[in-house]
Amino acid sequence: MSAPKTASQADSLPAELTESPLDIDAIRAEFPILDQQVHGHRLVYLDSAASAQRPAVVIRTIADYYTKDHANVHRGAHELSVRATRRYEDARGKVARFLGAGRADEVVFTRSTTESINLVSMTWGIANLGPGDVVVVSEMEHHSNLVPWQIVCERTGAEIQAIRVTDDQRLDLDHLDALLGSGDVRLVATGHVSNAIGTIHPVDEIARRAHEAGALYLIDGAQAAPQLPIDVRAIDCDFYTFSGHKACGPTGIGALWARRELLDAMPPYQGGGEMIEEVRIERSTYAAVPHKFEAGTPNIAGAIGFGAAVDFLQALDPETIHAHEKRIARLVLERLADEFKAITLYGPAPDVARAGVVSFTLADIHPHDLATILDHEGVAIRAGHHCCQPLMRRLGVAATARASFYLYNAEDDLEALVRGLHRAQELFRV
Amino acid sequence: MLESIFRELILEHYRKPRNKGALENPTVTVSMRNPMCGDEIDLMLTIDGDRIEAVGFTGQGCSISQASVSMMTQGVIGRSIDAALDLEKRFVALMRDDEGASEDRKLGDLRALQGVAKLPVRIKCALLGWNALDEAIKAHQKSPTGAMGEKLEFEDLTELPAGFDPATHKDDLP
Ligand SMILES: Cc1ncc(COP(=O)(O)O)c(C=O)c1O
């Protein structure tokens, strides 16, 4: 298993890497949805940071499961239930391997990153936080890794503090040290890759510092797992979360990985079937992890599709996907800077290892107007605050346009974006 | 298609909004935010009896929301409340693409926004200022002298993007 990339390893694009390490045409052929026209133009999908598309193998796997093997899991004494259970638990193993986890029972299936974080805040958080305790997040967090901590702090009397963002749009690790210095920090919770500006955080370094100060470390990996090699043991974090739908998998399924002893000690999240061992009217005993956290009939098909999605990413090789992302991000940043005098680009410089998420504003054209104009050119981007209002405030901007390039995006998509931006300038007489 | 939306007149209002700036002593102030996109305006009115004496606004947003609110202020300053509500009704009809609305001369410059009716996801932008106006008038009618100075805050949560449904939208209009 390869070591995770960090910003400190800031590897720049090797000069010989003039072509993507991925076979983009072959990959595109596996994504049926990309083969369509929007407003009379080839669909150029640059919104994968919001939700990626699915390869046919994921769609087929789900259809195959429903066609042949569906029944409820973990309860049937019949063949279909045995098969459904086997496929569901196989998927858990795939996700565990994908994350570099040592054991499958450290992976809890949830609805999404959001639910994974809420699961931790509502179980570990309620059980372990109290007045005087501090939860450290950052100014760059997605609201999903901020609001759950606000809620649990309000309930428990703990306090929330945020790592500042530096002027070059990284997390200020000196400030993290200062916050940890109080000795009151119980948990550090940060993203791994910023969905708004593409910064890759030095998560192994953050893990080390958090642990030295006696705090646990939770990582919101929603943007990282789809495009970086992840190894939770090498990072040495305590919780890792991500969503299926941003990683070529179905919507409505996500994962929480946590160290086994933490999961064992955490109280259950929701009560119901599947998560119990023995039930009496007054009280029950709970099933072992991970089932303790999976009350009710789970999203079986979603989990199985999720398993197919991580297999798909694994087969392409996350290291190679990351190399592609680094390369395309650099091309995009350099091309946009060259082509448009009036563009403001956010996020780390092109020669820093970063994700293929590029946020920008163009002259005085509002990002929503840009998105509308690009949409009419077949180019799907996102405009707004990207669920990162504190970061937007820090950057001093109300909204940005965001083009996110993923494993099916290449130079022709970049050129479509460039054409669309020229069109916007023409319409706005810039 | 896009040319019919990002027209000269709209860009002109976007870049040089009329009546932008806070009023000194408004009788009612409404803050309207679209939490989905972050567009926000503070609309200030000085209403004397039945007459809208002055209107000002601050905030930020896209060309459509800014141009719409800018033109709206021009259309309602110095008019009666009834006339303002009438104009609002006509503007909503324009956004709904009602028959004849695009020929409605009473809308004046606002007709430049008619192209937005063809873009369901942007209709909300065009209505942001009008929703603020509507709330401001309601607040004024509830307490003609009371609301002075106090800012009323709203989130514009009208479900629009997924297929602006004129029928249901009509119901919550005055
Ligand atoms: C960094 C980050 N965290 C969390 C989330 C929330 O993911 P989900 O909506 O799948 O729960 C997102 C997705 O928007 C994200 O980009």
Side-chain angles (χ1 to χ4, degrees):
Chain A
M1 185 72 48
S2 46
K5 284 276 181 263
T6 68
S8 55
Q9 282 169 296
D11 27 2
S12 59
L13 185 73
E16 70 273 21
L17 204 58
T18 49
E19 261 182 41
S20 172
L22 293 174
D23 182 348
I24 303 293
D25 287 338
I27 291 173
R28 278 186 191 166
E30 301 194 47
F31 286 80
I33 200 170
L34 297 177
D35 182 20
Q36 64 174 295
Q37 303 266 310
V38 167
H39 296 299
H41 300 268
R42 175 178 74 91
L43 167 64
V44 174
Y45 190 74
L46 299 180
D47 197 21
S48 298
S51 195
Q53 300 299 349
R54 286 108 208 78
V57 61
V58 169
I59 301 166
R60 262 200 321 271
T61 300
I62 295 168
D64 176 74
Y65 163 70
Y66 277 130
T67 310
K68 297 190 201 138
D69 298 330
H70 173 69
N72 213 326
V73 289
H74 302 131
R75 47 178 81 159
H78 57 78
E79 172 66 17
L80 290 190
S81 177
V82 170
R83 280 191 230 154
T85 304
R86 189 183 311 128
R87 292 188 77 166
Y88 180 71
E89 292 302 328
D90 275 356
R92 193 191 306 278
K94 289 170 197 243
V95 172
R97 263 194 305 281
F98 180 73
L99 291 174
R103 27 198 310 173
D105 61 10
E106 292 182 333
V107 169
V108 178
F109 281 126
T110 63
R111 216 159 38 80
S112 58
T113 306
T114 302
E115 191 178 52
S116 296
I117 296 171
N118 276 277
L119 190 161
V120 178
S121 71
M122 284 297 147
T123 61
W124 180 89
I126 296 282
N128 290 284
L129 295 171
D133 291 336
V134 172
V135 173
V136 166
V137 294
S138 89
E139 285 180 332
M140 223 188 273
E141 295 319 303
H142 188 283
H143 298 162
S144 295
N145 194 30
L146 176 56
V147 182
W149 302 115
Q150 292 171 344
I151 293 172
V152 78
C153 284
E154 209 159 277
R155 283 220 199 150
T156 59
E159 193 192 325
I160 193 159
Q161 294 175 353
I163 307 168
R164 280 194 298 256
V165 171
T166 61
D167 289 339
D168 59 351
Q169 301 176 30
R170 289 178 298 108
L171 297 186
D172 182 345
L173 294 195
D174 292 340
H175 187 229
L176 169 64
D177 284 341
L179 296 176
L180 290 171
S182 70
D184 297 327
V185 180
R186 297 288 156 264
L187 178 80
V188 177
T190 77
H192 189 168
V193 166
S194 162
N195 64 301
I197 56 176
T199 311
I200 301 176
H201 305 313
V203 287
D204 29 12
E205 186 56 33
I206 298 173
R208 196 180 60 75
R209 296 185 193 199
H211 289 159
E212 250 165 38
L216 296 181
Y217 184 31
L218 174 141
I219 300 177
D220 165 359
Q223 296 294 335
Q227 56 170 301
L228 289 182
I230 306 297
D231 185 333
V232 290
R233 282 180 298 175
I235 297 170
D236 194 25
C237 57
D238 300 289
F239 303 98
Y240 199 95
T241 63
F242 77 116
S243 297
H245 71 100
K246 294 184 202 278
C248 297
T251 55
I253 189 79
L256 164 68
W257 170 85
R259 284 192 289 109
R260 173 68 199 251
E261 59 277 22
L262 285 169
L263 289 175
D264 280 338
M266 279 152 58
Y269 178 44
Q270 297 178 330
E274 306 273 359
M275 54 77 70
I276 39 75
E277 187 180 61
E278 185 176 6
V279 177
R280 297 175 184 281
I281 288 297
E282 308 75 28
R283 55 172 295 112
S284 303
T285 54
Y286 305 124
V289 298
H291 302 110
K292 179 169 82 177
F293 297 105
E294 294 178 0
T297 301
N299 182 355
I300 308 166
I304 292 167
F306 195 9
V310 299
D311 270 356
F312 174 82
L313 294 177
Q314 205 77 270
L316 288 174
D317 178 21
E319 201 60 77
T320 309
I321 298 171
H322 175 49
H324 164 79
E325 291 289 319
K326 258 191 320 190
R327 172 180 178 274
I328 193 86
R330 182 171 187 161
L331 293 178
V332 174
L333 291 166
E334 291 179 348
R335 178 88 169 91
L336 294 182
D338 277 354
E339 190 75 19
F340 300 100
K341 269 201 231 47
I343 204 162
T344 305
L345 294 159
Y346 296 91
D351 58 347
V352 175
R354 46 120 78 216
V357 176
V358 176
S359 252
F360 59 93
T361 52
L362 182 62
D364 67 346
I365 311 173
H366 194 278
H368 288 127
D369 294 327
L370 280 177
T372 294
I373 296 165
L374 288 166
D375 180 40
H376 283 255
E377 300 286 311
V379 181
I381 64 155
R382 175 146 181 209
H385 52 58
H386 317 298
C387 299
C388 290
Q389 289 181 11
L391 176 65
M392 294 287 127
R393 229 165 270 134
R394 170 69 178 82
L395 298 176
V397 57
T400 68
R402 181 187 75 182
S404 46
F405 287 75
Y406 197 34
L407 42 76
Y408 31 65
N409 296 119
E411 284 92 325
D412 54 346
D413 298 328
L414 169 57
E415 289 315 308
L417 173 65
V418 167
R419 276 196 302 281
L421 294 176
H422 275 302
R423 176 95 173 102
Q425 288 200 341
E426 175 194 309
L427 283 162
F428 270 74
R429 297 165 183 81
V430 172
Chain B
M1 164 78 181
L2 290 172
E3 279 82 359
S4 74
I5 291 158
F6 301 106
R7 297 177 147 172
E8 193 78 52
L9 190 60
I10 289 176
L11 298 182
E12 211 256 316
H13 275 271
Y14 173 54
R15 290 188 167 127
K16 293 196 203 82
R18 317 297 194 271
N19 302 303
K20 187 146 184 183
L23 289 188
E24 292 248 315
N25 287 306
T27 53
V28 54
T29 301
V30 163
S31 163
M32 186 66 71
R33 284 176 51 81
N34 177 343
M36 297 220 322
C37 69
D39 281 10
E40 56 191 344
I41 59 161
D42 277 8
L43 184 72
M44 285 145 268
L45 280 80
T46 305
I47 304 179
D48 184 6
D50 175 42
R51 232 176 90 86
I52 300 174
E53 295 287 348
V55 183
F57 74 100
T58 58
Q60 59 78 35
C62 62
S63 63
I64 296 168
S65 73
Q66 296 295 292
S68 181
V69 67
S70 167
M71 293 178 186
M72 176 190 86
T73 62
Q74 286 187 311
V76 302
I77 289 176
R79 313 276 301 273
S80 69
I81 286 178
D82 285 346
L85 291 175
D86 179 62
L87 191 65
E88 177 187 331
K89 217 179 265 167
R90 291 168 189 273
F91 185 71
V92 170
L94 185 75
M95 288 301 104
R96 233 191 261 146
D97 213 5
D98 281 359
E99 189 145 356
S102 61
E103 313 298 323
D104 185 349
R105 301 200 146 266
K106 287 212 165 145
L107 283 168
D109 284 359
L110 284 161
R111 281 192 298 169
L113 284 158
Q114 63 182 273
V116 177
K118 303 270 188 288
L119 268 187
V121 295
R122 303 303 300 273
I123 291 172
K124 239 177 123 80
C125 309
L127 291 176
L128 188 72
W130 296 88
N131 288 340
L133 177 71
D134 202 69
E135 293 296 346
I137 290 175
K138 271 194 217 142
H140 170 80
Q141 287 171 334
K142 241 185 253 156
S143 80
T145 51
M148 171 97 80
E150 193 192 334
K151 182 155 113 182
L152 307 163
E153 309 215 355
F154 294 90
E155 296 222 322
D156 189 359
L157 294 168
T158 346
E159 277 298 335
L160 269 183
F164 176 52
D165 180 354
T168 54
H169 194 70
K170 207 177 294 184
D171 289 346
D172 53 45
L173 291 172

